[in-house]
Amino acid sequence: MTQRDRTLRAAASFRLASRSQLMAVVGQLWKFGLVGLVALVVDVGGFNLLRFVGGRGPLYEWPLMAKVLSACAATVVSWIGNRTWTFSGGRGRRRAHHELALFFIACAAGTLVALACLALSHYVLGYTSPLSDNISANLVGLVLGTACRFLLYRTWVFKNDVRTGDVPELALVSGGASEPEGVSAAPSRSSRSQD
């Protein structure tokens, strides 16, 4: 096989890898969205129950605490759904306790985004009605926080551990082409280490 043939084959494999990577991301986005809808019901429902059940809920005077508690409950629901369904196919995954710790850090980042939106609206701008609290916390804050979470989950929390020797997509779809110079095959499963 000539160098030109190898280059053309690698380019075709890269296109296939890019298309399959795009489809994988789209699939993850759908699953992430469905898990997120369930978590949204827990978050928004919990927030409103804590703030407004019976007119003045138990945390009526503390909107930030109500949001933190509802977000924590939604986080647990979200971790279970994302770990077992959305990002379940990862090879070389971290141990569950390590992944859970990273998940909570990523969720905290997303929750801080939602809290910042609520605090700005409620305390700085003076919009204190139930509608304005819900718009700032559960519409603007949730959308921005969710985008932050998805990026962190995909690139940091549920990403394959680099030390497991996962090979690039190009090598996985190259159809048996020889390894490029300087690239060795992935180590065997027995030689891989986990966190």
Side-chain angles (χ1 to χ4, degrees):
M1 181 179 283
T2 68
Q3 179 63 35
R4 182 176 184 272
D5 291 337
R6 282 192 295 269
T7 303
L8 290 174
R9 189 173 189 177
S13 295
F14 180 74
R15 282 192 301 272
L16 289 174
S18 296
R19 187 173 298 128
S20 68
Q21 287 172 338
L22 176 64
M23 294 307 294
V25 170
V26 168
Q28 284 179 334
L29 279 170
W30 277 106
K31 291 177 180 180
F32 179 78
L34 291 174
V35 169
L37 282 176
V38 173
L40 174 69
V41 169
V42 172
D43 191 7
V44 174
F47 176 77
N48 282 292
L49 284 172
L50 292 169
R51 288 284 324 276
F52 307 114
V53 70
R56 289 177 59 101
L59 295 178
Y60 181 79
E61 299 293 330
W62 299 282
L64 296 182
M65 181 56 71
K67 185 62 182 173
V68 168
L69 292 176
S70 69
C72 285
T75 297
V76 172
V77 169
S78 181
W79 180 70
I80 292 168
N82 281 307
R83 178 171 173 75
T84 60
W85 190 43
T86 308
F87 300 102
S88 64
R91 294 183 346 224
R93 303 243 334 223
R94 297 175 174 101
R95 293 185 177 163
H97 69 277
H98 185 213
E99 201 170 76
L100 179 62
L102 295 176
F103 189 86
F104 271 96
I105 292 168
C107 282
T111 300
L112 287 174
V113 170
L115 283 174
C117 293
L118 177 59
L120 176 69
S121 170
H122 193 88
Y123 295 113
V124 176
L125 300 176
Y127 297 116
T128 60
S129 73
L131 179 61
S132 61
D133 280 353
N134 273 286
I135 289 172
S136 63
N138 297 320
L139 184 62
V140 177
L142 204 60
V143 167
L144 295 176
T146 298
C148 173
R149 284 183 185 103
F150 182 78
L151 290 173
L152 289 173
Y153 295 165
R154 181 161 171 72
T155 60
W156 188 50
V157 177
F158 295 112
K159 140 184 165 165
N160 292 333
D161 191 342
V162 176
R163 290 173 291 160
T164 63
D166 288 340
V167 293
E169 286 291 321
L170 178 62
L172 291 175
V173 296
S174 63
S178 61
E179 297 281 328
E181 286 185 20
V183 175
S184 62
S188 69
R189 181 76 175 155
S190 61
S191 67
R192 294 179 181 175
S193 64
Q194 292 188 355
D195 290 346

